[in-house]
Amino acid sequence: APAWLRRLCGQLLSERLLRPSGVQAVVRGVMEGTGGGAGAEAAAVDWRKCDAVAKILAACPQQCLSLEEYYRLVCPQILDLLHIQDKLTARQFQRVATSTLLTMAREHPQLAESHLLRPLLAPLLRCVGTAELAVEDLPAGTVLVTEAELGTCVEDVLKVYVVGNDSSSLLLGSLQSVLGVVFSLYSFAKQNVSYLRSPCQEILLWFLEKSEREASLAVLEGFAGLSSSMCTLHPRCQFRAGSEGGAVIVVEEPIGDEDEALYQKVSSEQCHVENLVELVSHCQKSGLAGDFFISCLKALTRVVAEDEADSSSAAVPGGSLLELEQLRAAQGRNLLVLQLVATLCESISDTVFTNIAQVQEFVGAVLQRACASPARGPGAAAEAQTLAMAMGLVAAMLGGAVQLQSSDFAVLQRLVPLLEELSRTYPEPLTQELAADLRIAICTRGACSPATVGAAASDMLGKKPGMGAQTPASVPGRAPSPGGGHSSPSAPGKSSDKQNMSQEPSTMGPAPAPCATSPAPGGLQELLVSAYDPQPPGRAAALRHLASLITQRDPEALRLQEKLLQVFLENLQHEDAFVYLSAIQGVSLLSSEYPERILPVLLAQYSCSAQGTEDTAATVTRMKLGEVLMRVTRALGDMVFRHREPLVQAFLRGARAPEGALRASSLSNLGELCQRLGFQLGPIVQEVTSCLTAIAKTDPEAEVRRAAVHVVVLLLRGLSDKATEVLQDVLRDLYRLLKHVVTTEPDGATVLHAQLALEELDTVMRRVLFPPQTLEKKIVVLP
């Protein structure tokens, strides 16, 4: 077009733009021809055209007196473009409004903040703790933000910040000023049925991912109440459910009853912590969850150090009111840290750590806490388990769980001072030795890896040497619970291992190899004595080390296999989960090495009280023995056929035990054994089906009847088309049993199992009676 025409069109366009509703008129004029159908869909994806319109709106025309005056006239109209209700044009208008806002924010940040961002966030800014509006002066029941206003504000923030996806400092800073209110709204929506839950979550996650890591961690601490820099919801402002699925912000009177106020405060903090942990669980791939977990552990270390300092120094009577308030605030913060760490350990999965640096930070935090305050008192067992798990994590990496590079060893080198201090100051000798050996392995870059490191690595991975390893992300990244037998490594060996290490040549190579293969007889005797340690951590560590000796086929340990079996069986009766799970592992390893000798003993122990009454402790022990038998069955593989009949008979006798839990456990073991046998039961199939039929019809406990029917389901599903051959003598009895269960059984889960079995049986019989017809081409050569 000629220059005069372009100049005249620009002048007319600018004049129309400065009139009321001029922005919408200009946008409609430029986007003419895209009002519906395929044209609107085509314009929605034509980003270049939308961006061109945004540049026109962001440029101040020459007819305007000043840039600020132009922003004052145009910015409210730009925000109105976000609220277009016409579905055919809403996407184009919203795209134009978002692009215009981002362009203005880049070119003139101060004017954009005052005329665009603050009006956009006005409903949220109105109810923060530092709001200009004096909330204290408003009467109770005043609606500060209506449902429509709050819902529109959240949707606009989602469109501009998340969909626009411009992570400039201006946008991040403006959004951070209202993040506390958004998180409070997210927590409220999590407890109620509200459509605001998803957009609030997307806004929070967008900010956490786009911000610098330090800023994100500071925001998370503010959400948890550990930092006072976060602008949170005003104490007198409360959310109330709206009539259309949204929320309303109202002003409420402060609670006069101190007990009720304390209850509301505690419940609110607990709710915020739970919602915060769930929010953090969505940030595991980016590594933010791991960094936040590590920062909480470091805060916990400071809490422990402060607590010991307070307990060591006598309280000064007659302190000032300010000191008492400060002490109370510090105690409240310490409780929040403990609650946050506990919730993180329970909720975040074991893939929280994504790289070696995070693992090093985690282990360093645990070691620093152990150096500052060695485990003692009521929580000594949990602290010892956490320390053992952290050191086992390092041992697993050094033992070949991951392929460590030179840079990885440089990161692990930061643990050397802590390990050295731990080896000198920790009261437990076993932990001292493992710390010293880990320090040697790190300093030599895995060239010399003592036996204790290899044993800890094997226990951490839960596998025999040479069977592969897990990735660093699959190694658990949280403090284990007392029942987590497989996630806690054994404690290190005795000092005699180190004496023997000096007599054996170390193996050099790319993969670290243990410098010692077997302990001295004196060391084995010390382990046997430690297996009866009154403290559960020491006893479990000794059991784990004995199990590792069996895995390594230590000659002295194999010579005393009967003694080891007795030690493991006696520890099966221990009430601590860490101890009896270690004993289960030891018995199963010993049985898989010598099944001909050990299995008869285990079967006799399992069947010892089948005919008489027994107490709860004996029942629990027999259930643990059942778990041992199943582990041995899995380890034997195809060799289990040699021991088929004794195993089946033992579980059938267990199915007649007086205790219902033991009967259900025996039936569950029987079902898994049938799967391991490939459902080839041979001549005992009649006995098995008779037992299942009797239990499913007559057992008084629903859990046991359910287990019996489930075994029938496994049989039919596992045999499939072979069911008519293998079960031909008992198939009719099983069918009648299932029909009886469906018609008379009061337990719904049992009926469901029976219906599934009938459907499986119906499918099998249809395939047998009506085989699929296949067309075959035959060529016959005539003579």
Side-chain angles (χ1 to χ4, degrees):
W4 66 268
L5 182 59
R6 293 198 304 269
R7 186 168 55 253
L8 181 59
C9 290
Q11 182 179 355
L12 295 175
L13 192 63
S14 300
E15 290 177 356
R16 186 65 186 92
L17 188 63
L18 297 176
R19 294 178 184 177
S21 303
V23 173
Q24 190 173 145
V26 170
V27 174
R28 289 185 183 275
V30 176
M31 308 291 289
E32 187 179 3
T34 61
E41 188 66 20
V45 297
D46 189 3
W47 302 117
R48 290 183 299 177
K49 192 170 186 178
C50 294
D51 290 342
V53 177
K55 292 179 180 179
I56 294 174
L57 298 178
C60 179
Q62 297 178 356
Q63 291 86 344
C64 194
L65 298 178
S66 66
L67 183 62
E68 185 172 0
E69 180 67 17
Y70 175 73
Y71 271 63
R72 188 184 64 82
L73 293 173
V74 170
C75 289
Q77 300 183 52
I78 293 175
L79 294 178
D80 289 338
L81 294 179
L82 296 170
H83 309 145
I84 298 296
Q85 299 298 322
D86 185 8
K87 295 182 178 180
L88 297 177
T89 58
R91 294 179 61 185
Q92 298 92 328
F93 280 64
Q94 291 172 9
R95 170 63 182 173
V96 170
T98 302
S99 299
T100 305
L101 191 148
L102 297 178
T103 304
M104 289 180 169
R106 284 193 298 267
E107 296 179 354
H108 305 285
Q110 293 182 352
L111 293 175
E113 182 179 8
S114 59
H115 293 284
L116 282 174
L117 297 180
R118 292 190 68 85
L120 177 68
L121 303 172
L124 300 176
L125 290 171
R126 200 180 305 159
C127 53
V128 296
T130 58
E132 298 178 359
L133 179 64
V135 179
E136 293 83 356
D137 300 335
L138 296 176
T142 303
V143 177
L144 201 59
V145 181
T146 63
E147 180 181 6
E149 194 177 7
L150 184 60
T152 302
C153 178
V154 173
E155 291 177 358
D156 290 348
V157 171
L158 182 69
K159 296 171 186 175
V160 172
Y161 289 86
V162 181
V163 178
N165 198 24
D166 188 346
S167 57
S168 63
S169 59
L170 175 63
L171 292 175
L172 292 175
S174 61
L175 182 59
Q176 187 173 357
S177 62
V178 296
L179 275 184
V181 182
V182 176
F183 180 72
S184 299
L185 179 58
Y186 170 72
S187 299
F188 172 79
K190 287 287 292 182
Q191 294 179 303
N192 300 273
V193 179
S194 176
Y195 69 90
L196 297 175
R197 180 190 311 170
S198 179
C200 287
Q201 178 177 320
E202 291 185 30
I203 293 169
L204 295 171
L205 291 177
W206 179 84
F207 181 88
L208 294 174
E209 292 176 0
K210 296 299 180 180
S211 299
E212 297 291 336
R213 186 53 52 91
E214 292 78 10
S216 299
L217 293 176
V219 166
L220 291 176
E221 291 180 358
F223 289 162
L226 301 178
S227 174
S228 58
S229 59
M230 174 68 63
C231 296
T232 58
L233 187 69
H234 195 279
R236 287 195 59 189
C237 294
Q238 296 290 334
F239 290 103
R240 291 289 177 263
S243 58
E244 298 182 1
V248 181
I249 302 179
V250 298
V251 179
E252 287 195 351
E253 288 285 353
I255 301 175
D257 188 1
E258 294 184 358
D259 294 339
E260 180 65 21
L262 179 60
Y263 171 76
Q264 292 291 342
K265 182 177 183 297
V266 172
S267 60
S268 175
E269 289 177 351
Q270 181 179 0
C271 176
H272 279 198
V273 167
E274 292 175 355
N275 294 325
L276 173 61
V277 171
E278 183 174 352
L279 187 68
V280 169
S281 65
H282 296 284
C283 305
Q284 297 192 56
K285 291 184 179 180
S286 63
L288 178 61
D291 289 341
F292 182 61
F293 184 43
I294 292 168
S295 67
C296 292
L297 287 178
K298 292 180 179 178
L300 181 62
T301 303
R302 292 192 294 270
V303 169
V304 174
E306 293 173 2
D307 183 60
E308 290 202 348
D310 294 340
S311 60
S312 60
S313 61
V316 179
S320 64
L321 183 60
L322 179 60
E323 293 177 350
L324 293 177
E325 287 293 333
Q326 291 176 349
L327 179 60
R328 182 178 178 183
Q331 290 177 346
R333 186 181 185 278
N334 294 346
L335 290 175
L336 275 177
V337 171
L338 293 173
Q339 183 182 10
L340 186 59
V341 172
T343 310
L344 284 169
C345 292
E346 292 175 359
S347 303
I348 292 187
S349 70
D350 53 5
T351 58
V352 62
F353 296 141
T354 56
N355 51 55
I356 298 295
Q358 285 187 336
V359 174
Q360 179 269 325
E361 287 283 345
F362 164 71
V363 176
V366 176
L367 295 181
Q368 188 175 4
R369 188 166 76 249
C371 294
S373 57
R376 54 177 173 266
E383 289 288 340
Q385 290 180 15
T386 306
L387 178 61
M389 187 267 289
M391 299 176 73
L393 193 59
V394 180
M397 291 189 296
L398 295 172
V402 291
Q403 190 69 29
L404 295 177
Q405 306 295 330
S406 177
S407 58
D408 298 331
F409 279 106
V411 172
L412 293 177
Q413 194 74 23
R414 305 170 193 167
L415 299 176
V416 170
L418 292 173
L419 290 171
E420 183 177 2
E421 183 179 357
L422 197 69
S423 64
R424 290 187 289 101
T425 61
Y426 201 77
E428 177 62 36
L430 300 177
T431 306
Q432 285 185 5
E433 184 177 359
L434 181 57
D437 292 342
L438 287 175
R439 174 178 167 271
I440 294 172
I442 293 175
C443 292
T444 59
R445 299 190 172 232
C448 180
S449 182
T452 53
V453 177
S458 301
D459 290 337
M460 188 65 192
L461 297 174
K463 296 182 178 182
K464 296 182 180 180
M467 293 180 64
Q470 301 175 354
T471 62
S474 64
V475 180
R478 58 186 180 203
S481 61
H486 292 288
S487 63
S488 298
S490 69
K494 291 287 182 179
S495 57
S496 56
D497 293 340
K498 186 171 289 187
Q499 298 172 359
N500 191 46
M501 181 184 69
S502 61
Q503 301 172 4
E504 296 288 340
S506 61
T507 304
M508 305 293 290
C515 300
T517 57
S518 63
L524 182 59
Q525 294 299 327
E526 291 181 8
L527 287 175
L528 292 175
V529 173
S530 300
Y532 295 96
D533 193 325
Q535 295 297 327
R539 178 180 292 209
L543 294 174
R544 288 279 177 152
H545 201 85
L546 289 173
S548 68
L549 293 180
I550 298 173
T551 304
Q552 299 169 9
R553 303 186 66 84
D554 179 75
E556 185 67 21
L558 297 181
R559 187 178 64 83
L560 300 176
Q561 58 180 276
E562 295 182 0
K563 179 64 177 177
L564 293 180
L565 177 62
Q566 180 183 357
V567 170
F568 288 136
L569 291 178
E570 291 177 358
N571 278 281
L572 279 179
Q573 304 175 11
H574 200 279
E575 59 182 7
D576 187 84
F578 197 20
V579 174
Y580 71 70
L581 285 173
S582 302
I584 287 176
Q585 183 185 16
V587 177
S588 59
L589 288 174
L590 196 61
S591 304
S592 59
E593 294 290 341
Y594 301 98
E596 301 292 341
R597 302 179 186 176
I598 308 300
L599 262 183
V601 178
L602 296 180
L603 291 173
Q605 292 272 352
Y606 186 77
S607 307
C608 62
S609 303
Q611 302 300 328
T613 59
E614 52 187 19
D615 56 4
T616 304
T619 301
V620 172
T621 303
R622 290 184 65 191
M623 293 173 66
K624 296 173 185 176
L625 283 171
E627 171 64 20
V628 172
L629 291 174
M630 293 316 303
R631 291 195 183 194
V632 175
T633 300
R634 300 185 197 110
L636 288 176
D638 295 337
M639 294 296 294
V640 74
F641 283 94
R642 181 180 179 87
H643 311 281
R644 175 180 60 183
E645 293 192 11
L647 286 169
V648 173
Q649 295 295 339
F651 290 137
L652 289 178
R653 283 192 293 270
R656 296 195 299 268
E659 294 290 337
L662 181 57
R663 296 199 300 273
S665 174
S666 299
L667 290 172
S668 175
N669 293 337
L670 179 62
E672 184 175 352
L673 177 62
C674 292
Q675 288 180 314
R676 297 289 171 181
L677 292 171
F679 302 97
Q680 300 179 22
L681 299 179
I684 56 177
V685 64
Q686 290 277 4
E687 189 173 354
V688 172
T689 54
S690 298
C691 178
L692 295 176
T693 302
I695 291 175
K697 288 183 177 181
T698 63
D699 199 278
E701 297 191 20
E703 184 181 9
V704 183
R705 299 195 302 271
R706 189 183 311 163
V709 177
H710 181 62
V711 176
V712 177
V713 176
L714 292 177
L715 284 173
L716 295 175
R717 187 172 296 167
L719 290 171
S720 188
D721 293 341
K722 297 181 181 179
T724 54
E725 302 176 7
V726 178
L727 304 176
Q728 58 180 347
D729 297 331
V730 297
L731 197 59
R732 184 181 62 179
D733 298 335
L734 292 179
Y735 174 75
R736 290 177 177 177
L737 168 65
L738 296 174
K739 295 294 289 185
H740 172 79
V741 170
V742 170
T743 55
T744 63
E745 175 60 45
D747 181 60
T750 307
V751 173
L752 178 60
H753 283 305
Q755 291 173 344
L756 293 175
L758 286 174
E759 292 177 3
E760 191 69 33
L761 186 58
D762 178 73
T763 303
V764 171
M765 295 307 300
R766 286 180 182 275
R767 284 199 295 264
V768 172
L769 297 177
F770 308 104
Q773 298 182 358
T774 58
L775 299 177
E776 298 181 358
K777 180 187 291 185
K778 292 185 179 181
I779 300 177
V780 179
V781 179
L782 298 176

